[in-house]
Amino acid sequence: MYPRVHKRHSRVVGLLHYLYGPGKTAEAHTDPHIVASFDDFTPDPGRDPTVTPGRLARILDVPVKQAGDRAPNRHVWHLSIRAAPEDRHLTDDEWAHIARRVLAATGIDPHGDQNGCRWVAVRHADDHIHIAATLVNADLTPVHPYRDGTKAQTECRRIEKELGLRRIAPGDGTAAKPATAPEVHKAQRAQRTTTPRDELRTRVRTAIAYAADPPTFLRALRDLGVDVHTREGPSGDTLGYKVALPGDTNASGEQIWFAGRTLAPDLSWPRILERLTTPTRRAEAPAGRPDLAATDPWDRTAAHLDQLAPFLQETDGTGTSGSRVPDPVVAGHIAAVGHLLDALPPATAPIAGTDRRALAAAAKAYERASRSRIKAAHRQADALRSTVRELAHHATGTGDGALADIVASSILVVVAISRWYAARDLGQQARAAARTAEHLRAAYRTIAPPALARLTPDSPSPDTTARYADHARTVLGPRADTITTDPAWPALTAALHHAAGQGHPPLQLLHQAVAQRELDTADNPTEVLTWRIQRLARQIPYNPRTAAARTRTSRHTRPATTTPPALTRATARDTTHHSR
């Protein structure tokens, strides 16, 4: 169930007219009626035609009138509770039970004995109810609910378990504020697909991915078509900012501004400054990982993702070295992955055939997964973040193959992130990461096939293909049969053959690609190996002498045997041709 505390008002009659009215165009009200009230004898405008919402309002307002100046100015408390789409149909009695439980938990009517606030629970649809209450007790003392939204959420989690309803992941207070109903209706009238709040949140996050420091962040916002206003202190330092969409005005014609913190908790100015650091000097690549020092930021990004996945793989947070990876370090890298997903939709504009809508949907879904109560150590992820900044400013020169490589690696990473969150009972973030993986898979299904199709015609001769199959059996053992019978196997052999022509020993290259990280969680290991081999091959300059030697070898190669050669013998055969 989804409880939501709405903005307080000063007139309960207006709320009642809405609850008993026809409703909005997007959600018409059906059979509005009271399912529970403070005394269970309250007259119901939905069942008695002689009772009006005004009469019901006067009954609820009795303590407010008697309290006089002691009553709160905004004394109308409004809560809606909506069932999950998967939940069964709830009866009026069940909704009445739910209403009383939540009112007791929030302190509106703690004992249910008519000494609390006056209230009614109105049902005008199958899947939700509204509770209207006036915040004055029967003894005329005012009620000031504290953390009522959190308390309502907690009680609903208990009710879900007791009634066998869908268990909603508890929140941790880090979710972005959703668009209000007036904002949604305004966007619908303007025939906009998103509200200004959501659109600004997306553009601010994209600007962060492009920026290296505060000035470039503000400049990137303006380049993205956002109006920006900053607040400076006496020293001239920027203390805050607010953003608006051009032409987005209220009824008075005034532009509507949003402070960063009202868009999302991690978009406040202090939180943004934590991430906008000077790019670190590129570190030298470790042995066996030349792609981590690639000049092309697209290749380097994919390499960083491959390196990130292993220490996310195990849900206890232990990396491949066996040492404990602190949660803040992991959280910093999780945030950096969000920068990558925010940067991909605009950065892939030059690549024809890219499903940018799926990439944008992935970035939007991941927004919830990018933050939690775990404080992120952003500086620990400087290498990935600085690489993403370079990627955002450089269109890929290696085409959709490099993009497919990044998307395939991103899928593995966000799946590992989902499991990492699930192990820490952060259900909302875990589900958001899982949804992100689905959107990335949808994007991958449009990106990968054309790239693979362009490789397939360059597949080598049958004899050379058989030799590459021997290499696969040597490196992968029994799993090789899955690789060599996959529809993407011709593309993989073409990638190996092209790399061999540039001076790469195919067996060593295949061994290196497999060793980068495990393949068990990959949706298609053959395609993942194809992208890795292409990426690794781009890191070594073209060698004409070695290429000529490999061309002669491919022409006169012996037919492959059914028994795979030993690793040392196959390596010696490749290096012999390499040294000619």
Side-chain angles (χ1 to χ4, degrees), residues 45-324:
R47 292 290 181 263
D48 186 347
T50 65
V51 179
T52 64
R55 178 182 170 186
L56 178 57
R58 288 191 292 273
I59 294 173
L60 296 178
D61 271 339
V62 167
V64 177
K65 300 297 184 183
Q66 293 175 343
D69 293 340
R70 288 181 292 170
N73 290 331
R74 294 184 176 272
H75 61 271
V76 181
W77 186 82
H78 178 201
L79 174 78
S80 60
I81 307 176
R82 186 178 297 271
E86 303 88 347
D87 286 341
R88 59 180 172 81
H89 177 84
L90 297 174
T91 66
D92 282 357
D93 288 342
E94 287 175 317
W95 277 119
H97 172 73
I98 292 169
R100 292 189 179 95
R101 289 276 300 271
V102 173
L103 286 163
T106 54
I108 303 300
D109 190 9
H111 306 295
D113 57 2
Q114 301 185 34
N115 290 321
C117 300
R118 294 194 174 191
W119 58 271
V120 291
V122 178
R123 181 179 189 178
H124 57 207
D126 283 342
D127 63 347
H128 70 275
I129 61 171
H130 291 262
I131 300 174
T134 50
L135 297 177
V136 177
N137 283 324
D139 61 3
L140 306 186
T141 57
V143 175
H144 301 283
Y146 175 68
R147 300 189 68 185
D148 45 348
T150 301
K151 293 174 182 177
Q153 291 278 358
T154 302
E155 190 63 23
C156 282
R157 301 295 83 81
R158 297 191 184 103
I159 295 171
E160 289 163 357
K161 183 177 181 180
E162 294 173 10
L163 298 184
L165 305 177
R166 177 190 166 188
R167 304 286 296 278
I168 306 298
D172 61 357
T174 61
K177 182 180 179 181
T180 64
E183 290 172 353
V184 172
H185 296 150
K186 179 182 176 182
Q188 291 172 345
R189 291 194 301 271
Q191 297 183 339
R192 297 176 60 97
T193 56
T194 59
T195 64
R197 180 189 299 273
D198 293 333
E199 180 64 27
L200 286 169
R201 184 184 299 121
T202 298
R203 296 192 193 186
V204 171
R205 291 180 64 86
T206 302
I208 295 173
Y210 274 75
D213 51 41
T216 56
F217 165 66
L218 297 174
R219 187 162 56 249
L221 278 177
R222 295 185 176 98
D223 291 342
L224 290 169
V226 176
D227 290 340
V228 185
H229 178 77
T230 58
R231 179 170 58 88
E232 283 80 24
S235 63
D237 294 336
T238 300
L239 302 179
Y241 77 107
K242 58 183 180 180
V243 291
L245 289 179
D248 182 30
T249 59
N250 59 20
S252 302
E254 300 171 337
Q255 192 166 22
I256 300 175
W257 294 88
F258 294 86
R261 60 181 173 78
T262 65
L263 298 176
D266 60 341
L267 298 184
S268 67
W269 186 252
R271 296 289 297 276
I272 288 176
L273 289 182
E274 293 175 2
R275 286 170 282 179
L276 296 184
T277 57
T278 303
T280 55
R281 183 173 60 87
R282 191 183 306 170
E284 294 184 2
R289 293 305 305 267
D291 48 350
L292 284 171
T295 56
D296 187 338
W298 292 74
D299 285 341
R300 202 161 69 251
T301 298
H304 278 297
L305 292 173
D306 278 348
Q307 192 181 44
L308 172 62
F311 78 83
L312 284 168
Q313 198 69 48
E314 300 179 19
T315 56
D316 62 356
T318 302
T320 54
S321 64
S323 60
R324 177 77 180 181

Side-chain angles (χ1 to χ4, degrees), residues 510-569:
L510 184 61
H511 204 286
Q512 191 174 5
V514 171
Q516 283 191 353
R517 62 150 300 174
E518 53 79 31
L519 295 167
D520 295 335
T521 56
D523 290 347
N524 189 305
T526 308
E527 294 178 10
V528 170
L529 283 176
T530 302
W531 313 133
R532 289 182 188 173
I533 286 168
Q534 283 192 305
R535 186 204 319 158
L536 289 169
R538 286 192 288 266
Q539 311 316 314
I540 297 180
Y542 177 72
N543 187 329
R545 293 181 59 188
T546 306
R550 295 215 169 275
T551 301
R552 291 193 299 272
T553 301
S554 64
R555 290 174 181 169
H556 304 292
T557 185
R558 295 175 298 171
T561 60
T562 56
T563 304
L567 175 60
T568 54
R569 185 180 304 170

Side-chain angles (χ1 to χ4, degrees), residues 392-413:
H393 290 283
H394 295 85
T396 176
T398 50
D400 47 9
L403 176 59
D405 188 11
I406 286 179
V407 174
S409 298
S410 297
I411 293 171
L412 298 177
V413 168

Side-chain angles (χ1 to χ4, degrees), residues 263-460:
L263 298 176
D266 60 341
L267 298 184
S268 67
W269 186 252
R271 296 289 297 276
I272 288 176
L273 289 182
E274 293 175 2
R275 286 170 282 179
L276 296 184
T277 57
T278 303
T280 55
R281 183 173 60 87
R282 191 183 306 170
E284 294 184 2
R289 293 305 305 267
D291 48 350
L292 284 171
T295 56
D296 187 338
W298 292 74
D299 285 341
R300 202 161 69 251
T301 298
H304 278 297
L305 292 173
D306 278 348
Q307 192 181 44
L308 172 62
F311 78 83
L312 284 168
Q313 198 69 48
E314 300 179 19
T315 56
D316 62 356
T318 302
T320 54
S321 64
S323 60
R324 177 77 180 181
V325 179
D327 283 358
V329 175
V330 178
H333 283 84
I334 288 174
V337 171
H339 295 176
L340 169 63
L341 297 181
D342 292 329
L344 279 181
T348 55
I351 305 176
T354 302
D355 189 351
R356 295 174 63 201
R357 287 181 299 181
L359 291 176
K364 184 176 180 179
Y366 190 81
E367 187 269 339
R368 182 65 191 97
S370 64
R371 62 180 175 272
S372 67
R373 284 292 184 185
I374 301 171
K375 184 173 177 57
H378 292 292
R379 289 186 178 274
Q380 298 294 326
D382 272 357
L384 175 57
R385 286 172 40 244
S386 61
T387 299
V388 169
R389 279 195 290 268
E390 289 185 53
L391 177 150
H393 290 283
H394 295 85
T396 176
T398 50
D400 47 9
L403 176 59
D405 188 11
I406 286 179
V407 174
S409 298
S410 297
I411 293 171
L412 298 177
V413 168
V414 297
V415 168
I417 288 172
S418 178
R419 293 171 178 168
W420 188 86
Y421 274 132
R424 286 151 182 78
D425 292 326
L426 295 171
Q428 290 188 1
Q429 288 85 347
R431 288 194 178 96
R435 289 195 303 270
T436 303
E438 292 305 313
H439 290 302
L440 288 173
R441 289 187 178 102
Y444 182 82
R445 286 193 291 268
T446 66
I447 297 167
L452 294 170
R454 278 188 285 275
L455 277 173
T456 301
D458 296 331
S459 56

